[in-house]
Amino acid sequence: FAEFLHYILRELEERGLDSQIAFAEIFNEADGLRFIDGYDNENHLSDEEIAMFRTKHEEAIEWLKERHPQILFAFDSWTYYTDLRQVPQNMQVYNFHNYFLWSVYGNSLENDPDVLVSDPVSKEEIKATADCDYPPTDDWYHRVWFYSNLNPEKIPAAQQKMQEYLKEHMEEIRTKFKDSLTHINGNLENHLPQVPVICGEGVSYCGGYDLIWEETSEEYWLLIKEMMESYRDAGLWGTVVRTCCGPEDPVWKMCPDKLLEMNRIFLDEKN
């Protein structure tokens, strides 16, 4: 994996683009890899087995640092409850993920058959399209199946349902975020090497571009504002505004002013 990343970095360096790299990581969500211990330690590996993986990870980071000294190399965790046994001590950036708002989709929408087409593609057909040695977890098959079968005529109702869920559970979600920040700060103070800290993924995950309730929700943007202020005050080096935020996402054209405002809040800029 380190060699594959090395080839990519070398191509970018040859094109003079490596100055645009904030940091690089060998694995996405390293402490959730299903061929190691998996999400929530599903494989129940021993401390010795985890230590072997951490040692190999450290060796790989060192190998990359020698070949690309201008690049920072990160450890990427799928959660703020990072499996501390796996954290490489020579990481140069710590990148955690924090999907504190994903429950709006999981609890209010992704199990609602009333918003699907009348004759949905089966989950078995979805699974048949993935031919790999380490298949995704079942929840991803369900998610792909659900959004592939979302009825366009039911989208307004689906959006209203999510908005109502957010309003009803606003304080619960806010508390979950505050708890995550407390845990992150505790790790930074007591367990993790002193390196720049980033939230590289987070807030929510939306599986369909036609769902634009976040873009139009005042409550949603209030939570994002509070998140940016909290991360700024906690001393994070960087953060995403949200995971679904690329140029292909509707927010890019619908809410450029909001994206700019949230970035400026994190950077503590007044204008």
Side-chain angles (χ1 to χ4, degrees), residues 61 83 137 150:
I61 288 175
D83 184 350
T137 53
L150 192 61

Side-chain angles (χ1 to χ4, degrees), residues 96 98 100 174 177-182 184-185 188 199 222-239 262 265-266:
F96 69 92
N98 190 5
F100 62 92
R174 183 180 278 117
F177 173 74
K178 290 179 179 178
D179 289 346
S180 75
L181 198 62
T182 298
I184 292 161
N185 287 333
L188 297 180
C199 178
L222 175 61
L223 281 173
I224 299 300
K225 178 177 182 291
E226 292 177 8
M227 179 192 77
M228 301 303 271
E229 292 171 339
S230 298
Y231 283 161
R232 177 197 66 202
D233 296 343
L236 266 64
W237 188 48
T239 182
M262 296 305 128
I265 288 171
F266 181 78

Side-chain angles (χ1 to χ4, degrees), residues 9-105:
L9 293 174
R10 192 169 62 184
E11 291 290 331
L12 293 171
E13 289 165 352
E14 290 175 357
R15 289 163 171 75
L17 297 172
D18 55 306
S19 63
Q20 306 305 305
I21 301 171
F23 63 94
E25 57 203 28
I26 300 173
F27 299 109
N28 175 61
E29 300 191 341
D31 51 355
L33 294 172
R34 301 193 75 197
F35 60 86
I36 307 298
D37 208 14
Y39 292 95
D40 287 323
N41 303 320
E42 63 185 18
N43 296 330
H44 305 294
L45 297 186
S46 67
D47 289 342
E48 290 75 16
E49 290 171 309
I50 293 294
M52 182 178 67
F53 173 64
R54 186 189 66 243
T55 297
K56 291 297 183 182
H57 200 165
E58 289 171 343
E59 291 173 358
I61 288 175
E62 208 59 38
W63 187 88
L64 285 164
K65 286 165 64 174
E66 291 173 1
R67 287 157 178 78
H68 307 276
Q70 81 284 16
I71 302 292
L72 297 175
F73 292 97
F75 173 77
D76 183 290
S77 173
W78 71 278
T79 174
Y80 51 88
Y81 285 106
T82 304
D83 184 350
L84 297 170
R85 300 174 301 165
Q86 293 195 29
V87 176
Q89 297 304 294
N90 60 344
M91 67 177 179
Q92 295 169 294
V93 173
Y94 169 60
N95 177 16
F96 69 92
H97 300 172
N98 190 5
Y99 285 100
F100 62 92
L101 199 67
W102 203 334
S103 61
V104 174
Y105 292 86

Side-chain angles (χ1 to χ4, degrees), residues 116-168:
L116 300 180
V117 295
S118 58
D119 186 23
V121 174
S122 70
K123 291 183 183 179
E124 287 68 30
E125 288 178 87
I126 296 291
K127 286 187 176 183
T129 66
D131 181 17
C132 51
D133 292 332
Y134 293 96
T137 53
D138 286 341
D139 63 317
W140 273 110
Y141 284 119
H142 175 82
R143 199 164 289 117
V144 172
W145 168 81
F146 180 88
Y147 289 106
S148 297
N149 290 295
L150 192 61
N151 187 339
E153 296 179 0
K154 300 293 183 68
I155 285 176
Q159 294 184 153
Q160 182 64 28
K161 187 174 183 180
M162 287 186 285
Q163 174 63 14
E164 290 174 356
Y165 183 93
L166 176 60
K167 285 185 177 181
E168 182 180 349

